[in-house]
Amino acid sequence: MLWPFPLAGTAPYWLVLALSILDLVIRVLALGIIPGNRRPTTAMAWLLGIFFVPALGLILFLLFGNFKLSRKRRSQQDAVNKRVRAGTSQLAAVESRYSGPEWVASAAELNKTLGSLPMVDGNSVELLPGYPDSIKAMTAAVREAKTFVNAEFYIMSTDHITDDLFGALEEAAERGVQVRVLFDHLGTLRIKGYRKLIRRLKASKIQWRPMLPLRPVHGQWRRPDLRNHRKIMVIDGEIAFTGSQNLIEPSYNNPRHRKVGREWVELMACLRGPIVTTLNVVFATDWLSETDESLEDQLEHRPEMAPGRVTAQAVPSGPGFITENNLRLFNTLIYSAQHKISICSPYFVPDDSLLYAVTTAAQRGVDVELFVSEKGDQFLVHHAQQSYYEALLEAGVRIYLYKAPFVLHAKHFTIDDEVAVLGSSNMDMRSFSLNLEVSVMLLGADIVAKMRAVEDTYRDISRELTLEDWMKRPMAVKYVDNVARLTATLQ
């Protein structure tokens, strides 16, 4: 029944009958409505919740069951995609003439079909694995800005690590540079020092907006865990930064993390060349969504910008698209691998398609390795992740646990000697369905070798988990892992 306590003897018969009919109607409607456009496992999880704990299950579904953005925002994304296809026609001159394996070109065509952005040649890429190094590099680039700076991050904080960067942004705005800043509303709100950040932004000439704000009083309401998880900075259309790192000190302003020495380990990339314009398209799309201001004048390609030899393609994804762009790319590349796959993901909670892709690769003889944290920062997610270890190990995947107390938060993978992918996307159902993400596909043996060098440092610090050791874990841990796995399907 929908109500949490018996009514017999305390309510009139007609009320009991009416509630019983309502209960039956809701259950029947749920059977026909909830499975629509959802994975069967997700639909089943919601149905079980509503059938066994009806009142609570229904309330939670109404709050969290809709994984789409507003109709206005989806229409806006469709319109932007059409304008991007038309507006990036000038990139035809530099659109890739890639001559590598056909499966790579096929993946690039998939990306363009889903995300509208072309693959482009002539880029340079510098990997920045050091946490303070990437902040310093961004700060130096902002200090040289002449026309505009666009910064978009899931989490922002003004603290002892980011203070110089915010100072550089303020100084740039003071000297006439157009500085625009986006941060995720709830992602940043939950961080200690949020009000200090807002005061600092208000006191500056920086143009700023919270992304996907949740303000019911102002009519701004959506599923609370639909978040913008992207990390992008673009300076003058000439240089861009993207990857896994938020703008915050490495312990996330959390005294408990500092007490145990827990710091986040990241990987960012500094990019130059035509790829910068495509990353700026992603920022411009989000800026338009939050402000209704178009930045199309920033999106013109400069023919002289070809400083390197790396072929690259930006891959935006999230609930603004009707397809799970990142998941489709990841599966395509993993199924195409012939020799080696190295995956680094802080939250590896795959859906069935990704789990089959990874385990099938290992079973057909591909060398597959997975880097994850020995101890995660999120209890349920970490235990849900652990519930997949047995299947991965049995298939032949080698799992490396990055030593605690550090949190390996970098998000990237390499395929053979052909492809490297990095960005903001985790390999979990949240990143595939709920978060707005951005990834960059990078092609060529040189960039893969640079990424593999980073992965080698992870391996040196990690310990390998064996199936024999994993099967010895306590039954209580296994039980918690399996329960946590159920929560992963509620998307």
Side-chain angles (χ1 to χ4, degrees):
M1 303 292 284
L2 280 172
W3 53 92
F5 47 83
L7 293 176
T10 64
Y13 174 77
W14 66 266
L15 180 59
V16 174
L17 179 62
L19 288 175
S20 298
I21 293 173
L22 177 62
D23 177 79
L24 178 62
V25 168
I26 288 175
R27 291 173 189 253
V28 171
L29 288 175
L31 285 172
I33 293 174
I34 289 177
N37 291 323
R38 288 184 176 82
R39 296 183 181 89
T41 52
T42 300
M44 183 61 70
W46 280 117
L47 287 172
L48 287 173
I50 291 173
F51 272 58
F52 284 103
V53 193
L56 180 60
L58 183 60
I59 291 171
L60 289 175
F61 178 76
L62 293 175
L63 284 174
F64 298 99
N66 183 8
F67 57 88
K68 295 180 180 179
L69 294 173
S70 67
R71 184 177 289 105
K72 175 185 175 183
R73 185 142 185 163
R74 296 199 307 273
S75 298
Q76 205 170 44
Q77 180 71 63
D78 290 340
V80 166
N81 286 347
K82 291 176 183 177
R83 282 154 62 186
V84 165
R85 290 189 182 98
T88 56
S89 59
Q90 73 275 13
L91 287 174
V94 291
E95 189 164 357
S96 180
R97 303 296 187 266
Y98 180 76
S99 59
E102 288 187 7
W103 59 267
V104 178
S106 177
E109 184 62 27
L110 171 70
N111 293 337
K112 186 177 180 181
T113 299
L114 300 181
S116 301
L117 298 175
M119 183 167 69
V120 289
D121 297 327
N123 304 283
S124 70
V125 182
E126 179 186 2
L127 299 180
L128 302 169
Y131 202 105
D133 295 340
S134 58
I135 298 289
K136 289 177 182 177
M138 286 186 276
T139 303
V142 171
R143 293 198 191 281
E144 298 296 322
K146 297 177 179 63
T147 56
F148 70 84
V149 177
N150 295 332
E152 171 180 357
F153 288 83
Y154 175 59
I155 291 173
M156 284 190 177
S157 169
T158 174
D159 51 51
H160 66 283
I161 294 294
T162 64
D163 184 65
D164 282 349
L165 176 54
F166 276 98
L169 292 169
E170 291 163 342
E171 292 165 10
E174 286 289 339
R175 66 175 184 268
V177 175
Q178 293 291 312
V179 180
R180 294 176 175 88
V181 166
L182 292 171
F183 58 84
D184 186 80
H185 183 211
L186 291 191
T188 299
L189 177 64
R190 62 187 175 86
I191 297 296
K192 183 179 179 180
Y194 175 75
R195 291 181 180 179
K196 178 183 175 183
L197 170 68
I198 298 303
R199 286 195 302 267
R200 184 165 186 175
L201 290 173
K202 285 182 176 179
S204 72
K205 292 185 178 180
I206 296 171
Q207 301 175 60
W208 61 276
R209 290 289 191 282
M211 296 184 289
L212 301 175
L214 202 62
R215 297 165 176 156
V217 175
H218 297 90
Q220 295 174 321
W221 172 258
R222 62 184 56 82
R223 177 172 171 166
D225 56 351
L226 287 177
R227 307 308 332 146
N228 194 319
H229 197 240
R230 292 168 178 159
K231 291 94 173 169
I232 302 170
M233 179 176 283
V234 178
I235 298 96
D236 293 341
E238 297 178 356
I239 181 171
F241 296 86
T242 193
S244 65
Q245 186 172 339
N246 291 298
L247 293 190
I248 189 171
E249 63 91 22
S251 290
Y252 277 59
N253 292 338
N254 190 317
R256 289 180 299 152
H257 295 332
R258 292 198 193 102
K259 184 177 180 180
V260 298
R262 181 176 296 134
E263 293 187 351
W264 271 238
V265 177
E266 309 286 1
L267 182 64
M268 294 289 282
C270 174
L271 305 106
R272 291 177 172 84
I275 188 64
V276 174
T277 300
T278 62
L279 283 169
N280 205 29
V281 168
V282 180
F283 175 90
T285 302
D286 290 334
W287 184 260
L288 176 67
S289 296
E290 301 300 347
T291 68
D292 289 326
E293 179 190 6
S294 173
L295 302 180
E296 287 187 60
D297 60 321
Q298 294 184 1
L299 306 180
E300 294 183 5
H301 169 65
R302 302 173 186 178
E304 72 277 8
M305 287 178 54
R309 297 186 297 175
V310 176
T311 297
Q313 185 176 30
V315 186
S317 59
F321 297 88
I322 61 173
T323 52
E324 295 167 325
N325 301 0
N326 47 358
L327 175 60
R328 289 172 187 261
L329 170 64
F330 297 173
N331 281 340
T332 296
L333 293 176
I334 291 169
Y335 273 119
S336 300
Q338 299 298 309
H339 307 293
K340 184 171 183 177
I341 302 170
S342 295
I343 299 171
C344 177
S345 179
Y347 314 116
F348 187 84
V349 186
D351 74 340
D352 286 346
S353 70
L354 182 60
L355 181 64
Y356 293 161
V358 172
T359 53
T360 299
Q363 289 163 341
R364 58 187 171 85
V366 177
D367 179 8
V368 183
E369 58 183 2
L370 171 65
F371 297 95
V372 291
S373 298
E374 183 177 46
K375 185 174 183 181
D377 62 302
Q378 299 183 27
F379 179 84
L380 280 178
V381 176
H382 185 66
H383 279 281
Q385 173 177 285
Q386 289 187 161
S387 73
Y388 292 92
Y389 288 174
E390 184 175 339
L392 292 167
L393 291 167
E394 286 180 340
V397 176
R398 302 182 72 175
I399 299 177
Y400 292 94
L401 305 179
Y402 197 90
K403 289 291 186 67
F406 295 97
V407 175
L408 184 57
H409 193 249
K411 312 161 196 295
H412 53 85
F413 65 97
T414 50
I415 305 290
D416 296 343
D417 293 325
E418 303 293 341
V419 180
V421 177
L422 89 162
S424 66
S425 181
N426 299 305
M427 286 195 173
D428 68 352
M429 286 180 274
R430 176 169 300 282
S431 278
F432 299 146
S433 301
L434 303 180
N435 290 344
L436 282 77
E437 307 280 8
V438 64
S439 303
V440 180
M441 185 172 74
L442 306 166
L443 307 184
D446 289 345
I447 187 60
V448 172
K450 292 178 181 178
M451 191 83 81
R452 290 267 163 82
V454 174
E455 294 162 356
D456 290 343
T457 66
Y458 298 162
R459 196 180 299 101
D460 292 341
I461 297 172
S462 305
R463 69 175 177 88
E464 184 173 0
L465 179 67
T466 66
L467 180 60
E468 181 182 2
D469 289 340
W470 185 240
M471 297 306 291
K472 295 177 182 177
R473 71 192 187 284
M475 285 299 298
V477 173
K478 185 175 183 178
Y479 177 85
V480 174
D481 291 347
N482 291 338
V483 172
R485 183 168 177 159
L486 288 175
T487 66
T489 65
L490 292 174
Q491 307 294 348

